[in-house]
Amino acid sequence: MNILKFFTAGSVDDGKSTLIGRLLYDTDSILADQLEALQRSNRKNDDGTIDLAILTDGLRAEREQGITIDVAYKYFQTEKRKFIIADTPGHIQYTRNMVTGASTANLAIILIDARNGVVEQTIRHSYIVSLLGIKHVVVCINKMDMVDYSETVYNSIIEKYKILAQQLKLADVTYIPVSALKGDNVVQVSENMNWYEGESLLHFLEKVDTDHLDQSLLARMPVQWVVRPQTEELHDYRGYAGRVLSGTFNLNDKVTVLPSGASSVIEKIEFFDEALDAAHAGQSVIIHLKDDVDISRGDTIVNASALPQETKLIEADLCWMDTRALDTSMMYNIQHNSKITKCKISEILHRVDINTLDKHAADEFKLNDIGRVIVKTADALAFDLYDDNRANGSAILVDTRTNLTVGALMFRAAVE
Amino acid sequence: MSTYNFDYLDELEAEAIHILREVAGQFEKPALLFSGGKDSITLVRLAEKAFRPGKFPFPLVHIDTGHNFEETIIYRDKMVERIGEKLIIGSVQESIDQGKVVEQTGKNASRNALQTVTLLDTIAKYGFDACIGGARRDEEKARAKERIFSVRDEFGQWDPKRQRPELWNIYNGKIHKGENIRVFPISNWTELDVWNYIRREKIELPSIYFSHERDCITRNGQLMAASPFLNMDDEDVVERKQVRFRTVGDMSCTAAVESDAFLIDDIIAEISASKISERGARMDDKVSEAAMEDRKKGGYF
Ligand SMILES: Nc1nc2c(ncn2[C@@H]2O[C@H](COP(=O)(O)OP(=O)(O)OP(=O)(O)O)[C@@H](O)[C@H]2O)c(=O)[nH]1
Ligand SMILES: [Mg+2]
């Protein structure tokens, strides 16, 4: 059995939390005592039925205001698959929390309120989905119960969205008309929309393929920790512990260690008490090299025949996530896997106007702004382009005054 | 290209190991909070997988309420001996003796809430900058909101409205002096995942997780183990029951469930069929709708 990680996005009150609640409820994933707590709660729908959104709106402030502030993670499984859901906030103020939930997902559910159609937050979230390179998108036209389950309304919204999807180069988009509140097309196919010929949301989620097998030739392992027992019997033991980001390392593979550029050969791959022939993307292992090279945390072991980029100037997309605006004269820390070095945003190439998706010249970058910048790093990073290798093409910016994570970076090009 | 089996347990395991190694790499003085429960026992196994044949780059820390199940302490000491790692004990009794906290009175008295003070004192005394815990997001709705690296201020407080963004698998461990980070490597595991992992790894557990006979009383609809730590009166009727514990904490706040599950397979079958959540057996969560959120804001695990 494998895991599908997905998240919900869309504007405030489009019904994201209700949809998750409905998915859990109709798959019988809510336990008796949790249900009892829901029934006791005083947040009810107008008709007196339980408000399923409070299943994920776990904070007091969220329940009081009836909105989602931060991501909630929920877990359920069917016979076919395990699911990890991130229910993210729709409010623009909390976009950074939406990005948090989205960054680890492989599928996005974008909700649109059938009464309102595509609005600014729909565009913003869809844009973020495209920046993050999330492969699968399901657009749920929600609250169909409030528009008499009208096919015409549904069609006019998806026609609009299709144009947006094309602009954003979202390749794999599926459309489903639903009512999160009433349950139409969430788990069961609805009787109320006979004109809809597709499957229910759950059914789709159960079978959408998520290619777990990483076919990439870009074998990369950032070193997190050097294991050196320094005991008598393991006197010379020196293993490099890390998680393989992408690709595969095999015994006897020629590897290069960056940034030093030293080369060696894989002598042994260990996983606890097992010796492995190969280490694949996703695995946390210990690698031993034939030669005595100087390696420490922050270095990356890579396949010698497919080297990453190595520069100090990188063109990247930036999502700014701090209330304090970007200061181009300031030094920030950039954290790229296990490597941390200083950096500056040396140039803002453009900022994107979310309503029109037009690119404008800009010298300011404020909370929730998205655009293209040039990052200048103190040490060179060994990176890949985000589109080639998500795991090695992303980084965060940390403000050294506040220690807050203030920016998300997706690398788009090495600047020569 | 070779294919390989990498199922959901492998994925969860690899993620947890990655997180543990990030703690080792990013902090000066980390610690692993060890309660003796199945989740922290799972963490110890994951730490072995992350760091062996080396030593753990952190000690285990047990916040001891003094109201433990005997079986847990026996297990703890045996395990510490087997793995050969350092154990630090923070004692709630000591905090009481020093007058830092006051023992609760009345029928529902428990030391669970007092633990927070002892925990914060222990963190301050040893200067821990990161504390690894076994909390999972599926346990409780406030926990469902917490980051894997969760910043606590100088007073141990969690501020749910000001959590840092946490992107991809990059964890920002930078903090100011006095602050610390709570790290939850098994955030994304469910109760069933933990049990399946324990079965797969053949991890030994304290015997109280399995069905046994025990004197119990019924309190607020829950079965509690009769013990000197529970304030009992004439109304309480002691009954011999066939029970096990689904979660293990302080004796005065952990309820038992009636069960015939003697083997791990029985437990997995029981949980899969159960209609009650794990924390349904915790009195400490029943206080109010935001009980866990409030305790977390106050510095709780
Ligand atoms: N009639 C109707 N109402 C719905 C439907 N889905 C959600 N709602 C209602 O819309 C309101 C907002 O729903 P939420 O699920 O909280 O919305 P959200 O998208 O999670 O909002 P944020 O997280 O704050 O962005 C609630 O009152 C829901 O009951 C639906 O399908 N039909
Ligand atoms: Mg919501």
Side-chain angles (χ1 to χ4, degrees):
Chain A
M1 193 172 327
N2 67 17
I3 304 180
L4 177 72
K5 294 186 181 176
F6 69 90
F7 71 100
T8 50
S11 193
V12 189
D13 279 353
D14 281 355
K16 298 175 288 298
S17 302
T18 310
L19 181 74
I20 301 304
R22 174 57 67 185
L23 260 180
L24 296 171
Y25 189 82
D26 285 359
T27 51
D28 222 3
S29 311
I30 305 171
L31 296 165
D33 55 318
Q34 294 165 339
L35 208 56
E36 201 188 304
L38 284 186
Q39 263 139 6
R40 272 200 313 267
S41 155
N42 45 21
R43 198 171 126 189
K44 290 267 165 63
N45 294 318
D46 301 337
D47 60 0
T49 52
I50 49 176
D51 178 356
L52 291 168
I54 51 176
L55 268 173
T56 60
D57 287 340
L59 300 175
R60 188 199 302 270
E62 294 178 323
R63 288 192 297 273
E64 281 168 5
Q65 299 171 49
I67 57 161
T68 306
I69 293 171
D70 210 334
V71 203
Y73 294 90
K74 287 281 161 190
Y75 305 81
F76 80 107
Q77 87 183 74
T78 64
E79 269 159 31
K80 306 225 170 65
R81 187 170 251 173
K82 283 178 75 76
F83 297 95
I84 300 182
I85 318 171
D87 179 29
T88 75
H91 202 290
I92 182 166
Q93 187 187 342
Y94 308 119
T95 302
R96 57 187 172 203
N97 298 336
M98 177 268 175
V99 181
T100 292
S103 68
T104 52
N106 27 40
L107 182 145
I109 297 182
I110 297 177
L111 275 87
I112 298 177
D113 186 327
R115 295 168 306 172
N116 308 333
V118 175
V119 297
E120 179 181 333
Q121 274 303 80
T122 323
I123 305 174
R124 181 184 305 272
H125 284 181
S126 301
Y127 186 53
I128 291 170
V129 165
S130 78
L131 283 183
L132 288 171
I134 291 160
K135 281 212 191 80
H136 311 280
V137 178
V138 184
V139 177
C140 286
I141 315 300
N142 188 32
K143 307 200 186 183
M144 288 302 291
D145 57 298
M146 298 187 92
V147 295
D148 293 329
Y149 298 104
S150 155
E151 184 180 8
T152 325
V153 172
Y154 171 76
N155 281 336
S156 78
I157 295 173
I158 72 170
E159 284 320 312
K160 273 227 182 86
Y161 196 90
K162 279 179 182 164
I163 299 168
L164 178 66
Q166 205 169 20
Q167 265 179 297
L168 295 176
K169 300 192 179 67
L170 298 174
D172 174 25
V173 187
T174 304
Y175 300 89
I176 307 179
V178 303
S179 167
L181 189 71
K182 310 279 184 202
D184 300 275
N185 289 336
V186 177
V187 170
Q188 306 294 346
V189 172
S190 169
E191 308 265 299
N192 294 321
M193 289 175 272
N194 290 327
W195 48 264
Y196 170 70
E197 283 167 358
E199 54 202 340
S200 73
L201 174 63
L202 177 70
H203 195 215
F204 178 79
L205 295 175
E206 281 183 327
K207 56 160 244 248
V208 62
D209 90 287
T210 54
D211 26 65
H212 260 302
L213 198 65
D214 184 317
Q215 301 282 356
S216 162
L217 298 173
L218 311 175
R220 314 273 180 256
M221 191 189 86
V223 175
Q224 294 181 269
W225 182 252
V226 181
V227 177
R228 292 192 61 203
Q230 292 174 296
T231 55
E232 224 156 277
E233 79 252 45
L234 293 169
H235 191 74
D236 296 322
Y237 185 103
R238 205 179 155 82
Y240 305 106
R243 189 173 189 193
V244 180
L245 286 183
S246 54
T248 300
F249 289 100
N250 294 295
L251 281 182
N252 299 316
D253 273 0
K254 278 199 184 132
V255 294
T256 302
V257 180
L258 296 169
S260 73
S263 44
S264 187
V265 169
I266 295 187
E267 182 177 60
K268 193 161 73 167
I269 303 171
E270 286 179 298
F271 178 59
F272 193 41
D273 49 8
E274 295 167 64
L276 308 178
D277 295 333
H280 303 275
Q283 288 183 299
S284 285
V285 295
I286 293 179
I287 285 181
H288 296 256
L289 301 182
K290 284 221 168 90
D291 307 275
D292 215 354
V293 281
D294 175 14
I295 301 180
S296 50
R297 177 179 163 84
D299 294 351
T300 309
I301 299 176
V302 306
N303 182 338
S305 57
L307 295 178
Q309 315 265 359
E310 251 199 305
T311 59
K312 293 183 178 181
L313 277 181
I314 309 169
E315 189 178 321
D317 278 318
L318 170 65
C319 293
W320 192 256
M321 303 194 286
D322 197 26
T323 44
R324 214 190 288 213
L326 165 68
D327 182 343
T328 46
S329 69
M330 257 253 318
M331 264 194 300
Y332 293 91
N333 274 355
I334 183 170
Q335 189 170 348
H336 173 244
N337 295 311
S338 59
K339 169 96 181 171
I340 298 176
T341 180
K342 297 224 173 311
C343 78
K344 275 185 175 177
I345 302 300
S346 62
E347 202 180 331
I348 299 174
L349 298 175
H350 64 246
R351 197 176 57 207
V352 174
D353 178 332
I354 292 301
N355 273 311
T356 60
L357 297 175
D358 289 339
K359 296 163 182 163
H360 297 287
D363 37 35
E364 251 195 348
F365 230 79
K366 292 200 290 225
L367 179 65
N368 299 322
D369 280 345
I370 300 172
R372 186 66 65 92
V373 298
I374 306 254
V375 193
K376 184 178 186 184
T377 59
D379 297 345
L381 298 182
F383 66 97
D384 295 301
L385 302 187
Y386 190 83
D387 285 339
D388 300 335
N389 191 4
R390 193 164 147 177
N392 199 37
S394 47
I396 60 169
L397 286 180
V398 176
D399 185 324
T400 51
R401 298 165 296 185
T402 58
N403 291 329
L404 295 176
T405 304
V406 294
L409 289 163
M410 285 140 284
F411 299 147
R412 302 300 180 190
V415 182
E416 301 303 328
Chain B
M1 167 121 344
S2 63
T3 55
Y4 66 112
N5 273 331
F6 196 59
D7 79 354
Y8 74 94
L9 277 182
D10 296 319
E11 190 175 334
L12 293 171
E13 178 187 58
E15 176 183 69
I17 293 171
H18 173 252
I19 294 164
L20 286 169
R21 287 170 174 166
E22 278 307 290
V23 175
Q26 292 196 40
F27 296 92
E28 300 287 322
K29 281 217 84 179
L32 188 152
L33 300 176
F34 181 80
S35 71
K38 65 178 190 317
D39 298 312
S40 51
I41 291 168
T42 298
L43 282 183
V44 169
R45 167 55 54 98
L46 291 165
E48 290 183 287
K49 292 207 173 188
F51 303 111
R52 291 293 184 246
K55 294 283 267 179
F56 291 1
F58 39 70
L60 308 189
V61 172
H62 183 209
I63 301 303
D64 182 353
T65 62
H67 287 180
N68 301 293
F69 290 93
E70 196 189 356
E71 294 88 337
T72 316
I73 300 300
I74 294 171
Y75 178 94
R76 178 194 75 188
D77 294 341
K78 234 174 76 185
M79 189 204 72
V80 167
E81 196 178 301
R82 176 182 68 78
I83 63 175
E85 300 288 345
K86 187 174 175 198
L87 173 71
I88 290 171
I89 297 174
S91 156
V92 173
Q93 186 61 53
E94 244 169 61
S95 304
I96 294 171
D97 295 344
Q98 292 164 355
K100 287 188 168 157
V101 290
V102 179
E103 187 103 72
Q104 293 179 354
T105 53
K107 235 181 149 166
N108 293 323
S110 156
R111 285 188 171 178
N112 186 60
L114 311 187
Q115 286 181 89
T116 300
V117 173
T118 312
L119 171 66
L120 298 182
D121 276 356
T122 309
I123 291 172
K125 178 172 166 192
Y126 293 92
F128 294 131
D129 50 6
C131 295
I132 303 158
R136 309 186 319 268
R137 287 169 174 159
D138 83 321
E139 281 180 79
E140 207 282 330
K141 58 186 178 308
R143 289 199 159 157
K145 294 266 162 185
E146 196 164 5
R147 301 282 187 260
I148 289 174
F149 270 40
S150 181
V151 183
R152 301 302 169 96
D153 69 12
E154 206 178 332
F155 306 96
Q157 302 180 104
W158 177 53
D159 185 350
K161 289 183 80 170
R162 299 180 51 155
Q163 297 198 88
R164 294 175 181 175
E166 190 161 81
L167 300 150
W168 299 289
N169 302 313
I170 309 175
Y171 303 102
N172 172 8
K174 281 274 183 296
I175 45 172
H176 293 292
K177 223 178 158 43
E179 295 174 337
N180 67 79
I181 291 205
R182 304 286 170 86
V183 179
F184 303 111
I186 58 168
S187 284
N188 287 326
W189 298 41
T190 64
E191 182 188 17
L192 205 52
D193 296 335
V194 172
W195 282 105
N196 279 318
Y197 188 70
I198 288 169
R199 171 165 66 180
R200 187 181 89 171
E201 298 292 313
K202 302 189 175 64
I203 299 171
E204 203 196 312
L205 288 182
S207 56
I208 53 172
Y209 278 110
F210 301 92
S211 179
H212 58 281
E213 269 193 26
R214 183 181 288 269
D215 286 341
C216 295
I217 62 162
T218 305
R219 267 285 162 83
N220 309 324
Q222 306 255 35
L223 272 184
M224 306 296 292
S227 79
F229 310 131
L230 207 60
N231 292 337
M232 295 204 273
D233 60 28
D234 298 344
E235 280 170 30
D236 292 316
V237 188
V238 177
E239 291 172 288
R240 194 88 183 145
K241 295 268 189 189
Q242 191 72 35
V243 296
R244 68 176 203 89
F245 292 87
R246 214 168 143 183
T247 159
V248 169
D250 183 314
M251 275 193 97
S252 53
C253 80
T254 314
V257 289
E258 288 195 78
S259 167
D260 289 320
F262 294 96
L263 302 169
I264 205 149
D265 288 342
D266 305 336
I267 291 178
I268 289 174
E270 190 184 283
I271 295 170
S272 308
S274 171
K275 288 276 161 212
I276 304 285
S277 77
E278 175 182 350
R279 294 202 79 89
R282 295 288 287 248
M283 309 290 283
D284 41 342
D285 288 344
K286 296 243 149 156
V287 185
S288 80
E289 208 178 11
M292 174 63 86
E293 180 180 344
D294 292 343
R295 274 179 296 149
K296 272 186 167 298
K297 284 177 180 164
Y300 190 70
F301 294 104

